[in-house]
Amino acid sequence: MILSESLDIILECKNDIIWVTLSGPFNNEEVPSVREKIFKLIDDGSRSFVFDLERIDFIGDKVVPFFVNLLNNLKGKKGELKLVFKNDLVHDSFLPYSNIFSIYSNSEFINKRELFYSLRRTGNTLNRKTGFRISKPLAVCMLIILGGWFFSLLYIINIQNQKIHEQQNELHELTHWKEEALIEINYLQERIRPLEQLGVLREKEK
């Protein structure tokens, strides 16, 4: 933990994302120190930042402009900045700029969003090629339905293959039985024919 005079700062790195948790009053005097630490990380190659501001209990008038400047800097380097908070103080301070920041009420929402990152890229590619927009929930629903259809089709094909295999075995057995029966009939006819010629047996009247 890095302690400044009155602002507590916790820096963590998770999957190439820098998580910054700030607690206490964020005075204007703290801005240069925070800027120095964050921009040092950017110079070292960090491009993704998440700031948890939920525990901030005071914000100086230079704090929000600092975040605006940080956002512009990261965008210029193809990075990203996300803010996490839901307390009224921070909300009111960022309200005029809420349309330019990615703001979340809970860090869990960010983790869930990362799970759909590849799906979002696929949807964006489809949108550029076709002109249609597919929302993430709809895309997930479509994938589940298509997956269900696919596995159902595999199951049906497997059942049909088993039935066809069983019928082929039955046909083979019947064909074999027919051949044996014909051989047996021919054998019996050859044995009976001399008796019929001697008149011992008479042919059955039709």
Side-chain angles (χ1 to χ4, degrees):
M1 178 184 294
I2 304 174
L3 297 177
S4 62
E5 181 180 356
S6 56
L7 179 69
D8 292 339
I9 307 175
I10 300 177
L11 300 175
E12 298 177 282
C13 183
K14 303 177 183 178
N15 299 324
D16 296 328
I17 301 176
I18 305 298
W19 290 69
V20 185
T21 302
L22 303 179
S23 304
F26 198 163
N27 298 296
N28 291 336
E29 292 77 9
E30 307 291 348
V31 171
S33 176
V34 175
R35 178 189 291 113
E36 180 182 358
K37 294 178 177 63
I38 299 305
F39 277 83
K40 177 63 168 59
L41 292 172
I42 295 175
D43 291 339
D44 291 340
S46 297
R47 292 295 180 266
S48 297
F49 289 82
V50 176
F51 277 77
D52 187 342
L53 308 179
E54 180 61 23
R55 298 178 183 84
I56 294 296
D57 53 27
F58 176 81
I59 293 183
D61 56 8
K62 295 182 180 180
V63 172
V64 175
F66 156 69
F67 280 102
V68 173
N69 178 259
L70 175 60
L71 177 63
N72 291 332
N73 185 280
L74 287 171
K75 283 185 175 180
K77 300 179 183 297
K78 297 183 179 180
E80 59 180 353
L81 173 64
K82 299 175 183 178
L83 306 179
V84 179
F85 61 82
K86 58 183 177 181
N87 71 58
D88 294 336
L89 172 66
V90 180
H91 175 270
D92 292 342
S93 298
F94 280 89
L95 185 59
Y97 305 93
S98 59
N99 60 321
I100 66 172
F101 285 103
S102 297
I103 300 175
Y104 300 83
S105 61
N106 193 304
S107 60
E108 293 182 0
F109 293 149
I110 297 179
N111 295 328
K112 291 179 180 178
R113 182 173 179 177
E114 295 301 323
L115 294 176
F116 294 106
Y117 176 70
S118 60
L119 180 61
R120 184 179 68 240
R121 289 193 305 175
T122 302
N124 288 338
T125 301
L126 180 62
N127 178 45
R128 289 194 297 268
K129 291 183 177 180
T130 65
F132 293 97
R133 292 189 64 86
I134 300 178
S135 65
K136 289 183 289 185
L138 178 59
V140 173
C141 182
M142 291 176 62
L143 287 177
I144 293 174
I145 293 174
L146 291 175
W149 286 347
F150 176 76
F151 287 110
S152 297
L153 181 60
L154 288 181
Y155 177 77
I156 292 173
I157 292 175
N158 183 58
I159 295 297
Q160 292 297 326
N161 286 336
Q162 290 180 357
K163 289 183 177 180
I164 292 174
H165 184 68
E166 292 174 356
Q167 291 173 349
Q168 288 176 337
N169 290 336
E170 291 177 358
L171 180 61
H172 178 73
E173 292 176 358
L174 290 173
T175 302
H176 182 69
W177 176 84
K178 179 182 178 181
E179 293 174 351
E180 290 182 344
L182 289 173
I183 293 173
E184 185 68 21
I185 291 172
N186 291 332
Y187 172 75
L188 292 175
Q189 286 177 342
E190 291 297 327
R191 294 191 61 183
I192 292 174
R193 184 173 292 109
L195 297 176
E196 290 177 342
Q197 293 174 350
L198 294 173
V200 176
L201 294 177
R202 295 181 179 180
E203 293 185 4
K204 185 176 180 182
E205 295 180 357
K206 296 182 181 179

